[in-house]
Amino acid sequence: MKIRKNDTVLVIAGKDKGKKGKVRFAYPKRERVLVEGVNFIKRHARATGQVRQAGIIEREEPIQVSDVVLMCSKCNRPTRVGYRTLADGKRARICHSCKEVID
Ligand SMILES: [Zn+2]
């Protein structure tokens, strides 16, 4: 998957369109990412042994990876992700705007 944990992404679709956040978890199999501060869902919780407080809790839900684009850490622009094979044979992600290696 092109987006990974700790990437900063820009949301380009859905109710949080235009928000930026850091990826807290990536779920490659589900093609989803959990982004800090994005896609809050209200949940009703009941007080059980583990949850002390009953009521409505808000928490982030993962969103589809196709709804976000990577913010390049080098040029600070939203960008498409490309790949380049490095001298040691590893595939690194590159920014389409500035052509810098992202990781
Ligand atoms: Zn860049």
Side-chain angles (χ1 to χ4, degrees), residues 9-102:
V9 294
L10 173 70
V11 181
I12 54 164
K15 69 181 165 93
D16 288 318
K17 190 174 168 179
K19 276 192 189 174
K20 277 181 216 168
K22 197 171 173 186
V23 175
R24 264 205 265 158
F25 293 103
Y27 306 93
K29 277 180 195 161
R30 293 163 61 197
E31 304 226 306
R32 280 170 186 267
V33 286
L34 187 71
V35 184
E36 227 166 62
V38 169
N39 200 28
F40 272 101
I41 302 277
K42 282 184 182 154
R43 284 281 169 90
H44 296 269
R46 208 175 291 160
T48 63
Q50 281 165 355
V51 183
R52 260 167 289 157
Q53 184 124 24
I56 298 165
I57 49 165
E58 285 192 61
R59 60 163 201 178
E60 296 109 321
E61 283 282 298
I63 60 170
Q64 285 190 24
V65 76
S66 58
D67 289 349
V68 301
V69 289
L70 182 68
M71 290 295 294
C72 174
S73 52
K74 301 292 192 311
C75 64
N76 214 22
R77 280 183 287 188
T79 185
R80 279 165 50 221
V81 178
Y83 288 95
R84 182 192 288 161
T85 306
L86 301 177
D88 62 3
K90 278 185 190 160
R91 259 171 30 121
R93 294 182 302 169
I94 61 162
C95 166
H96 258 274
S97 304
C98 65
K99 309 292 178 195
E100 289 288 332
V101 172
I102 295 166

